[in-house]
Amino acid sequence: MKQHQYQITVEHLADAKGQPSTYSEPLQFKVGNHDDIFRVLQFVENTQLFDPETTKSFTVGLKLFGEVLLENKDLPLFKDFMPEFIQFMKRLKQSQPAEN
C-alpha cells in the first residue's frame, strides 16, 4: 500500500516538576500513513474542537495510533477496540467546521 512518509521528532523539554530534561537526544523515527496528516490536521483545525496545540497533538497522535491499529487489526489486543475506533472516526469525520 502506498503511504505518505513522515519523520516524527519528540524532544523532552522538562520533567513533570519543570526541571530541564536529562535526555540528550530527541526521539526520532520515520513512519508511513495512508492519510495526508497535514490535510487531516487542517480538517480538525477547521472544526475548532480544541485549542491549536491540542489540535496538533490530537491529530498526530490519532493518525499514528490509527495506522498501527489498522496494520495490526488482527492482534487480540485490538480486536474488541477496532469497531469502536471505526465509530469514533466516523463521528470525527462528521464534525462540522466551526462558524466564525
Side-chain angles (χ1 to χ4, degrees):
M1 171 174 32
K2 292 184 179 182
Q3 293 184 321
H4 299 267
Q5 297 298 306
Y6 299 94
Q7 179 165 297
I8 307 297
T9 302
V10 178
E11 293 183 54
H12 187 247
L13 303 177
D15 67 17
K17 296 178 182 176
Q19 298 299 311
S21 177
T22 58
Y23 297 100
S24 60
E25 297 292 323
L27 170 64
Q28 197 168 60
F29 59 96
K30 294 180 180 167
V31 65
N33 198 284
H34 70 278
D35 282 328
D36 179 338
I37 294 176
F38 287 93
R39 286 190 64 205
V40 175
L41 176 62
Q42 188 174 41
F43 171 82
V44 178
E45 285 174 338
N46 289 339
T47 66
Q48 295 183 358
L49 291 169
F50 311 108
D51 64 79
E53 291 301 304
T54 302
T55 297
K56 292 173 193 169
S57 175
F58 169 78
T59 303
V60 172
L62 178 67
K63 294 312 303 172
L64 293 178
F65 175 71
E67 196 70 19
V68 170
L69 180 64
L70 290 173
E71 291 176 357
N72 296 280
K73 62 186 170 204
D74 293 329
L75 284 177
L77 176 66
F78 295 138
K79 276 222 183 253
D80 293 336
F81 183 67
M82 190 64 176
E84 300 299 326
F85 184 77
I86 290 169
Q87 288 304 310
F88 175 82
M89 291 304 295
K90 285 180 181 178
R91 284 191 298 276
L92 177 61
K93 290 175 181 180
Q94 292 171 351
S95 297
Q96 299 296 313
E99 292 183 23
N100 294 328

